[in-house]
PDB file of all heavy atoms in Angstrom:
ATOM      1  N   ARG A 179     148.721  13.853 106.536  1.00  0.00           N
ATOM      2  CA  ARG A 179     149.980  14.590 106.747  1.00  0.00           C
ATOM      3  C   ARG A 179     149.732  15.874 107.532  1.00  0.00           C
ATOM      4  O   ARG A 179     150.259  16.931 107.210  1.00  0.00           O
ATOM      5  CB  ARG A 179     150.637  14.902 105.402  1.00  0.00           C
ATOM      6  CG  ARG A 179     151.195  13.703 104.680  1.00  0.00           C
ATOM      7  CD  ARG A 179     152.209  12.942 105.526  1.00  0.00           C
ATOM      8  NE  ARG A 179     153.210  13.802 106.137  1.00  0.00           N
ATOM      9  CZ  ARG A 179     154.354  14.143 105.545  1.00  0.00           C
ATOM     10  NH1 ARG A 179     154.630  13.692 104.326  1.00  0.00           N
ATOM     11  NH2 ARG A 179     155.219  14.924 106.166  1.00  0.00           N
ATOM     12  N   MET A 180     148.928  15.760 108.581  1.00  0.00           N
ATOM     13  CA  MET A 180     148.629  16.918 109.413  1.00  0.00           C
ATOM     14  C   MET A 180     149.857  17.422 110.152  1.00  0.00           C
ATOM     15  O   MET A 180     149.885  18.537 110.657  1.00  0.00           O
ATOM     16  CB  MET A 180     147.525  16.563 110.406  1.00  0.00           C
ATOM     17  CG  MET A 180     146.740  17.751 110.917  1.00  0.00           C
ATOM     18  SD  MET A 180     145.568  18.409 109.738  1.00  0.00           S
ATOM     19  CE  MET A 180     144.296  17.154 109.819  1.00  0.00           C
ATOM     20  N   ASP A 181     150.910  16.599 110.196  1.00  0.00           N
ATOM     21  CA  ASP A 181     152.134  17.017 110.864  1.00  0.00           C
ATOM     22  C   ASP A 181     152.790  18.200 110.153  1.00  0.00           C
ATOM     23  O   ASP A 181     153.615  18.903 110.730  1.00  0.00           O
ATOM     24  CB  ASP A 181     153.112  15.847 110.964  1.00  0.00           C
ATOM     25  CG  ASP A 181     153.429  15.255 109.588  1.00  0.00           C
ATOM     26  OD1 ASP A 181     152.508  15.140 108.772  1.00  0.00           O
ATOM     27  OD2 ASP A 181     154.594  14.905 109.362  1.00  0.00           O
ATOM     28  N   MET A 182     152.410  18.419 108.880  1.00  0.00           N
ATOM     29  CA  MET A 182     152.955  19.558 108.152  1.00  0.00           C
ATOM     30  C   MET A 182     152.523  20.874 108.798  1.00  0.00           C
ATOM     31  O   MET A 182     153.246  21.869 108.751  1.00  0.00           O
ATOM     32  CB  MET A 182     152.498  19.523 106.685  1.00  0.00           C
ATOM     33  CG  MET A 182     153.076  18.364 105.890  1.00  0.00           C
ATOM     34  SD  MET A 182     152.682  18.456 104.125  1.00  0.00           S
ATOM     35  CE  MET A 182     150.873  18.364 104.166  1.00  0.00           C
ATOM     36  N   LEU A 183     151.334  20.881 109.413  1.00  0.00           N
ATOM     37  CA  LEU A 183     150.878  22.065 110.136  1.00  0.00           C
ATOM     38  C   LEU A 183     151.786  22.352 111.327  1.00  0.00           C
ATOM     39  O   LEU A 183     152.052  23.510 111.654  1.00  0.00           O
ATOM     40  CB  LEU A 183     149.437  21.869 110.617  1.00  0.00           C
ATOM     41  CG  LEU A 183     148.328  21.964 109.577  1.00  0.00           C
ATOM     42  CD1 LEU A 183     146.979  21.691 110.221  1.00  0.00           C
ATOM     43  CD2 LEU A 183     148.327  23.330 108.916  1.00  0.00           C
ATOM     44  N   ALA A 184     152.257  21.273 111.961  1.00  0.00           N
ATOM     45  CA  ALA A 184     153.157  21.441 113.100  1.00  0.00           C
ATOM     46  C   ALA A 184     154.482  22.057 112.649  1.00  0.00           C
ATOM     47  O   ALA A 184     155.026  22.945 113.322  1.00  0.00           O
ATOM     48  CB  ALA A 184     153.403  20.100 113.784  1.00  0.00           C
ATOM     49  N   VAL A 185     154.999  21.603 111.520  1.00  0.00           N
ATOM     50  CA  VAL A 185     156.252  22.151 110.988  1.00  0.00           C
ATOM     51  C   VAL A 185     156.102  23.637 110.686  1.00  0.00           C
ATOM     52  O   VAL A 185     156.951  24.464 111.053  1.00  0.00           O
ATOM     53  CB  VAL A 185     156.673  21.389 109.718  1.00  0.00           C
ATOM     54  CG1 VAL A 185     157.897  22.039 109.086  1.00  0.00           C
ATOM     55  CG2 VAL A 185     156.962  19.922 110.043  1.00  0.00           C
ATOM     56  N   PHE A 186     154.991  23.982 110.023  1.00  0.00           N
ATOM     57  CA  PHE A 186     154.717  25.389 109.708  1.00  0.00           C
ATOM     58  C   PHE A 186     154.547  26.210 110.986  1.00  0.00           C
ATOM     59  O   PHE A 186     155.055  27.327 111.105  1.00  0.00           O
ATOM     60  CB  PHE A 186     153.469  25.492 108.838  1.00  0.00           C
ATOM     61  CG  PHE A 186     153.040  26.904 108.557  1.00  0.00           C
ATOM     62  CD1 PHE A 186     153.725  27.680 107.633  1.00  0.00           C
ATOM     63  CD2 PHE A 186     151.956  27.456 109.230  1.00  0.00           C
ATOM     64  CE1 PHE A 186     153.339  28.993 107.380  1.00  0.00           C
ATOM     65  CE2 PHE A 186     151.561  28.760 108.980  1.00  0.00           C
ATOM     66  CZ  PHE A 186     152.254  29.528 108.047  1.00  0.00           C
ATOM     67  N   GLY A 187     153.832  25.636 111.955  1.00  0.00           N
ATOM     68  CA  GLY A 187     153.611  26.333 113.216  1.00  0.00           C
ATOM     69  C   GLY A 187     154.893  26.557 113.988  1.00  0.00           C
ATOM     70  O   GLY A 187     155.094  27.624 114.591  1.00  0.00           O
ATOM     71  N   HIS A 188     155.786  25.570 113.975  1.00  0.00           N
ATOM     72  CA  HIS A 188     157.074  25.719 114.661  1.00  0.00           C
ATOM     73  C   HIS A 188     157.897  26.849 114.040  1.00  0.00           C
ATOM     74  O   HIS A 188     158.528  27.640 114.758  1.00  0.00           O
ATOM     75  CB  HIS A 188     157.859  24.407 114.595  1.00  0.00           C
ATOM     76  CG  HIS A 188     157.377  23.355 115.550  1.00  0.00           C
ATOM     77  ND1 HIS A 188     157.190  23.607 116.890  1.00  0.00           N
ATOM     78  CD2 HIS A 188     157.044  22.040 115.358  1.00  0.00           C
ATOM     79  CE1 HIS A 188     156.768  22.502 117.491  1.00  0.00           C
ATOM     80  NE2 HIS A 188     156.662  21.541 116.584  1.00  0.00           N
ATOM     81  N   ARG A 189     157.902  26.913 112.726  1.00  0.00           N
ATOM     82  CA  ARG A 189     158.666  27.975 112.046  1.00  0.00           C
ATOM     83  C   ARG A 189     158.066  29.347 112.345  1.00  0.00           C
ATOM     84  O   ARG A 189     158.805  30.315 112.581  1.00  0.00           O
ATOM     85  CB  ARG A 189     158.662  27.721 110.535  1.00  0.00           C
ATOM     86  CG  ARG A 189     159.468  26.488 110.114  1.00  0.00           C
ATOM     87  CD  ARG A 189     159.379  26.246 108.633  1.00  0.00           C
ATOM     88  NE  ARG A 189     160.163  25.075 108.227  1.00  0.00           N
ATOM     89  CZ  ARG A 189     160.186  24.583 106.999  1.00  0.00           C
ATOM     90  NH1 ARG A 189     159.471  25.170 106.034  1.00  0.00           N
ATOM     91  NH2 ARG A 189     160.918  23.524 106.720  1.00  0.00           N
ATOM     92  N   LEU A 190     156.752  29.412 112.349  1.00  0.00           N
ATOM     93  CA  LEU A 190     156.075  30.676 112.647  1.00  0.00           C
ATOM     94  C   LEU A 190     156.349  31.109 114.082  1.00  0.00           C
ATOM     95  O   LEU A 190     156.606  32.289 114.354  1.00  0.00           O
ATOM     96  CB  LEU A 190     154.567  30.517 112.422  1.00  0.00           C
ATOM     97  CG  LEU A 190     153.727  31.797 112.348  1.00  0.00           C
ATOM     98  CD1 LEU A 190     154.115  32.620 111.127  1.00  0.00           C
ATOM     99  CD2 LEU A 190     152.239  31.458 112.293  1.00  0.00           C
ATOM    100  N   ASN A 191     156.318  30.145 114.996  1.00  0.00           N
ATOM    101  CA  ASN A 191     156.570  30.447 116.404  1.00  0.00           C
ATOM    102  C   ASN A 191     158.015  30.877 116.619  1.00  0.00           C
ATOM    103  O   ASN A 191     158.281  31.798 117.397  1.00  0.00           O
ATOM    104  CB  ASN A 191     156.253  29.215 117.255  1.00  0.00           C
ATOM    105  CG  ASN A 191     156.431  29.478 118.746  1.00  0.00           C
ATOM    106  OD1 ASN A 191     155.935  30.464 119.276  1.00  0.00           O
ATOM    107  ND2 ASN A 191     157.162  28.598 119.410  1.00  0.00           N
ATOM    108  N   ALA A 192     158.945  30.231 115.929  1.00  0.00           N
ATOM    109  CA  ALA A 192     160.357  30.571 116.077  1.00  0.00           C
ATOM    110  C   ALA A 192     160.656  31.970 115.553  1.00  0.00           C
ATOM    111  O   ALA A 192     161.548  32.661 116.067  1.00  0.00           O
ATOM    112  CB  ALA A 192     161.225  29.540 115.349  1.00  0.00           C
ATOM    113  N   SER A 193     159.906  32.407 114.545  1.00  0.00           N
ATOM    114  CA  SER A 193     160.166  33.706 113.924  1.00  0.00           C
ATOM    115  C   SER A 193     159.449  34.860 114.613  1.00  0.00           C
ATOM    116  O   SER A 193     159.989  35.968 114.687  1.00  0.00           O
ATOM    117  CB  SER A 193     159.752  33.665 112.441  1.00  0.00           C
ATOM    118  OG  SER A 193     160.448  32.652 111.744  1.00  0.00           O
ATOM    119  N   PHE A 194     158.233  34.604 115.119  1.00  0.00           N
ATOM    120  CA  PHE A 194     157.416  35.703 115.622  1.00  0.00           C
ATOM    121  C   PHE A 194     157.071  35.580 117.110  1.00  0.00           C
ATOM    122  O   PHE A 194     157.409  36.430 117.916  1.00  0.00           O
ATOM    123  CB  PHE A 194     156.130  35.821 114.799  1.00  0.00           C
ATOM    124  CG  PHE A 194     156.369  36.130 113.349  1.00  0.00           C
ATOM    125  CD1 PHE A 194     156.330  35.117 112.396  1.00  0.00           C
ATOM    126  CD2 PHE A 194     156.654  37.425 112.937  1.00  0.00           C
ATOM    127  CE1 PHE A 194     156.551  35.391 111.058  1.00  0.00           C
ATOM    128  CE2 PHE A 194     156.878  37.715 111.598  1.00  0.00           C
ATOM    129  CZ  PHE A 194     156.835  36.690 110.651  1.00  0.00           C
ATOM    130  N   PHE A 195     156.369  34.509 117.478  1.00  0.00           N
ATOM    131  CA  PHE A 195     155.828  34.425 118.839  1.00  0.00           C
ATOM    132  C   PHE A 195     156.882  34.051 119.881  1.00  0.00           C
ATOM    133  O   PHE A 195     156.930  34.610 120.969  1.00  0.00           O
ATOM    134  CB  PHE A 195     154.665  33.419 118.877  1.00  0.00           C
ATOM    135  CG  PHE A 195     153.612  33.707 117.839  1.00  0.00           C
ATOM    136  CD1 PHE A 195     153.424  32.853 116.773  1.00  0.00           C
ATOM    137  CD2 PHE A 195     152.825  34.836 117.949  1.00  0.00           C
ATOM    138  CE1 PHE A 195     152.449  33.120 115.818  1.00  0.00           C
ATOM    139  CE2 PHE A 195     151.849  35.118 117.003  1.00  0.00           C
ATOM    140  CZ  PHE A 195     151.666  34.260 115.930  1.00  0.00           C
ATOM    141  N   LYS A 196     157.675  33.035 119.545  1.00  0.00           N
ATOM    142  CA  LYS A 196     158.744  32.565 120.425  1.00  0.00           C
ATOM    143  C   LYS A 196     158.216  32.165 121.801  1.00  0.00           C
ATOM    144  O   LYS A 196     158.737  32.583 122.840  1.00  0.00           O
ATOM    145  CB  LYS A 196     159.833  33.633 120.552  1.00  0.00           C
ATOM    146  CG  LYS A 196     160.497  33.974 119.222  1.00  0.00           C
ATOM    147  CD  LYS A 196     161.566  35.045 119.366  1.00  0.00           C
ATOM    148  CE  LYS A 196     162.195  35.357 118.014  1.00  0.00           C
ATOM    149  NZ  LYS A 196     163.246  36.402 118.120  1.00  0.00           N
ATOM    150  N   LYS A 197     157.140  31.372 121.807  1.00  0.00           N
ATOM    151  CA  LYS A 197     156.526  30.870 123.033  1.00  0.00           C
ATOM    152  C   LYS A 197     156.803  29.375 123.162  1.00  0.00           C
ATOM    153  O   LYS A 197     156.520  28.606 122.231  1.00  0.00           O
ATOM    154  CB  LYS A 197     155.019  31.117 123.026  1.00  0.00           C
ATOM    155  CG  LYS A 197     154.621  32.586 122.904  1.00  0.00           C
ATOM    156  CD  LYS A 197     154.987  33.364 124.164  1.00  0.00           C
ATOM    157  CE  LYS A 197     154.474  34.803 124.077  1.00  0.00           C
ATOM    158  NZ  LYS A 197     154.796  35.582 125.286  1.00  0.00           N
ATOM    159  N   SER A 198     157.323  28.960 124.306  1.00  0.00           N
ATOM    160  CA  SER A 198     157.664  27.549 124.484  1.00  0.00           C
ATOM    161  C   SER A 198     156.425  26.669 124.519  1.00  0.00           C
ATOM    162  O   SER A 198     156.444  25.529 124.052  1.00  0.00           O
ATOM    163  CB  SER A 198     158.471  27.368 125.776  1.00  0.00           C
ATOM    164  OG  SER A 198     157.735  27.828 126.899  1.00  0.00           O
TER     165      SER A 198
END
Side-chain angles (χ1 to χ4, degrees):
R179 290 303 312 272
M180 204 76 75
D181 57 320
M182 293 187 298
L183 285 178
V185 174
F186 175 76
H188 283 309
R189 291 177 179 175
L190 194 65
N191 183 49
S193 302
F194 298 100
F195 307 112
K196 299 179 180 180
K197 301 291 185 179
S198 59

